[in-house]
Amino acid sequence: SMAPPENLVVELNLADKTLPAAINRRGDPRPPDELLESREWRELEKILVEFKRASVGAGALPILVFLPSKSHIYARHTRSDTPPDHRTLRERELASENHREAAFTSLAKKLNIDLISLTPTFESKAAAGTLLYYPFDSHWNSTARGLAADVLAKELSRMRESGRLGN
């Protein structure tokens, strides 16, 4: 059988509106422990070890930021009734949507690197009907960029107040 297209045009149901959008469906169905054992995640770990070493060596606090994908945020807001290839992919996406973030969180803990996730804020804004990505593109729109800046400013301020961050 033919592989379904990577980008599917779907209908997003956002609060009081419905709009067409393209969603990339390349989700990785592997559970977090399998991801962490994979070659690409072991390479990522090496890169993060070096990032931490270089940061600390320069007197800086290394901080990681998790950026959720468009499908991570919007898969649950797509219509589930059509088309069949989308339905299968949607189910797979929903079943594995947190795997990458769980693996990334686990890796940050293992390496003792602070992690800020944009997922909770993006999910709550999406649930309230806010579009955070361009409809036919996987990049953030200006709303998402402003939101990310706000989240990071608040988190950095909290870290400074707790003494994690210098002045």
Side-chain angles (χ1 to χ4, degrees):
S1 75
M2 279 180 42
E6 279 187 359
N7 284 303
L8 291 165
V9 175
V10 298
E11 277 193 2
L12 294 182
N13 295 318
L14 298 178
D16 58 347
K17 57 188 173 284
T18 300
L19 60 130
I23 288 194
N24 184 301
R25 291 281 178 190
R26 279 189 307 215
D28 194 324
R30 293 177 292 178
D33 55 338
E34 270 184 49
L35 288 175
L36 290 167
E37 290 301 313
S38 70
R39 184 179 50 78
E40 61 269 32
W41 280 77
R42 287 198 309 267
E43 280 303 309
L44 174 60
E45 182 173 352
K46 288 180 194 165
I47 291 166
L48 293 179
V49 165
E50 178 56 26
F51 165 66
K52 182 177 180 181
R53 189 199 63 72
S55 299
V56 171
L61 178 70
I63 300 172
L64 298 173
V65 180
F66 184 80
L67 312 177
S69 68
K70 184 178 184 180
S71 62
H72 183 152
I73 297 300
Y74 289 107
R76 69 181 57 255
H77 299 287
T78 59
R79 285 180 48 163
S80 56
D81 52 354
T82 53
D85 59 347
H86 172 247
R87 191 163 48 243
T88 305
L89 289 164
R90 180 183 190 272
E91 286 160 9
R92 192 175 70 197
E93 185 77 24
L94 291 173
S96 64
E97 69 178 353
N98 296 313
H99 291 185
R100 275 180 310 203
E101 183 164 10
F104 199 65
T105 301
S106 170
L107 192 52
K109 279 194 176 98
K110 176 182 177 183
L111 302 178
N112 194 25
I113 302 175
D114 286 296
L115 173 66
I116 298 169
S117 174
L118 297 177
T119 303
T121 303
F122 275 35
E123 281 179 342
S124 74
K125 288 291 184 189
T130 306
L131 189 62
L132 299 167
Y133 299 77
Y134 291 109
F136 295 97
D137 177 325
S138 61
H139 294 91
W140 293 347
N141 61 22
S142 60
T143 305
R145 293 192 299 271
L147 194 56
D150 289 347
V151 170
L152 295 177
K154 281 189 191 108
E155 288 298 318
L156 293 174
S157 177
R158 189 179 337 217
M159 292 170 90
R160 181 172 287 119
E161 287 164 12
S162 72
R164 289 280 304 133
L165 215 56
N167 298 314

